[in-house]
Amino acid sequence: MFTPREDENRRLLRARDAIDRAYAEPLDIATLSGIALISPAHFIRRFRDVFGETPHRYLQRRRIERACALLRHTELPVTDVARAVGYESLGTFGRTFTAIIGRSPTAYRLTAAPTRVPSCFVKDWTRPHANSSSFGEAS
Amino acid sequence: MINGISIHSIYVLDQDVALDFYVGKLGFVVTTDVDMGFMRWLTIATPGQPDREILLSLPGPPAISEDAAARVRELVTIGALGATILSTDDCRATYADLAAKGVEFTQEPEDQPYGIDCAFRDPFGNHIRMTQRTDEREVSDEDIARWAPDDSEGSDT
């Protein structure tokens, strides 16, 4: 049914789905490459080829997207937000957040109206852009 | 005037595998299965809505070139080709039933103001959602947090 490459695509998608679903878990490359059934080094390269950025960077953007939501729409302290989206270190969270969004979590707290469409679409379309900052490197 | 939607197509990479999934697991029924020589016209529908069909379409010549078909297959397998949203009377029960059948869920059932929904993929990578509509209720802070709207980042596209 699949060519070898398509089969690999499908497994890579499975790993990316895991990031979207379990972003707050400690998802390391060993775990993700295990989901994709690909050796760790090859996994990172192919994930980047297919999705345009490394799995680590995709995970960071997913977590920061969730953090944005919590900052804007809850009263949770920044420390709790960091923990809720998968960061054990407040320093790492703050640096990553600022690198992606361009300002600190505290400066970010704004409000917005919800969009009445299924959550997956909102998540897809409101995730911080891959090229919107100098955060990390796509290639 | 146009008065409805009758058929829309989903690209599948193997029509028999698609039948196993959509009919065998999800519970669709085959409405038309005709070998036209140049293509196999294969449509399915839910038992309760037989006039609303999905064409399980195999990308390839002569409709599109081998090269284009390869690109379509690539996009399907990386999950880049759109979504289909199905309805259900009982999202959580149907989720449990389908999960037991090995369906690959990407989101477990979640409460939304419009109902309960979840998401899964077909064997090829197509994104499918399943929604149980409920009476409209007030949008809560929890809904807003879960939806994560972010107009400051989304408006610069």
Side-chain angles (χ1 to χ4, degrees), chain B residues 60-100:
Chain B
I64 59 175
S65 71
E66 290 282 6
D67 180 54
R71 279 182 278 158
V72 169
R73 295 170 64 97
E74 179 90 4
L75 292 173
V76 169
T77 53
I78 67 171
L81 279 196
T84 298
I85 305 183
L86 306 174
S87 56
T88 175
D89 289 336
D90 188 335
C91 185
R92 294 183 197 284
T94 309
Y95 162 81
D97 176 46
L98 296 180

Side-chain angles (χ1 to χ4, degrees), chain B residues 5-7 28-32 43-54:
Chain B
I5 298 172
S6 58
I7 304 176
F28 280 76
V29 294
V30 174
T31 45
T32 314
T43 62
I44 57 171
T46 55
Q49 202 178 20
D51 59 346
R52 181 69 178 85
E53 299 173 76
I54 294 174

Side-chain angles (χ1 to χ4, degrees), chain A residues 1-3 5-14 16-17 20-21 46 50-51 64-66 68-70 72-74 100-103 108 110-129 132, chain B residues 13-14 17 69-70 73-80 83 85 104-108 110 112-114 117 119 121-127 129 131 136-137 139 141-157:
Chain A
M1 173 171 74
F2 292 130
T3 65
R5 181 186 171 86
E6 290 161 3
D7 185 58
E8 193 177 69
N9 286 344
R10 189 65 186 81
R11 286 181 277 117
L12 286 163
L13 179 60
R14 206 161 279 139
R16 199 190 67 169
D17 284 343
D20 283 336
R21 189 174 54 237
R46 286 290 293 134
V50 166
F51 299 117
I64 296 305
E65 171 248 316
R66 300 312 302 163
C68 287
L70 292 172
R72 294 176 62 150
H73 307 300
T74 74
I100 292 175
I101 300 299
R103 51 213 144 116
Y108 180 79
L110 300 167
T111 58
T115 310
R116 300 182 73 84
V117 299
S119 53
C120 65
F121 289 97
V122 177
K123 287 170 186 168
D124 281 350
W125 289 95
T126 63
R127 186 168 304 149
H129 289 199
S132 67
Chain B
L13 274 53
D14 183 304
V17 171
R73 295 170 64 97
E74 179 90 4
L75 292 173
V76 169
T77 53
I78 67 171
I85 305 183
E104 186 181 330
F105 278 85
T106 58
Q107 180 205 305
E108 294 180 358
E110 287 181 4
Q112 307 285 355
Y114 51 81
D117 73 358
R121 291 200 186 276
D122 80 359
F124 318 104
N126 288 306
H127 178 194
R129 299 192 70 81
T131 303
E136 295 279 323
R137 61 172 167 80
V139 173
D141 289 345
E142 284 183 6
D143 295 324
I144 295 170
R146 187 170 50 246
W147 285 340
D150 189 342
D151 52 18
S152 68
E153 256 61 47
S155 61
D156 60 354
T157 48

Side-chain angles (χ1 to χ4, degrees), chain A residues 27-38 40 43:
Chain A
L27 292 172
D28 55 18
I29 293 300
T31 303
L32 292 170
S33 63
I35 292 169
L37 305 173
I38 300 173
F43 170 73

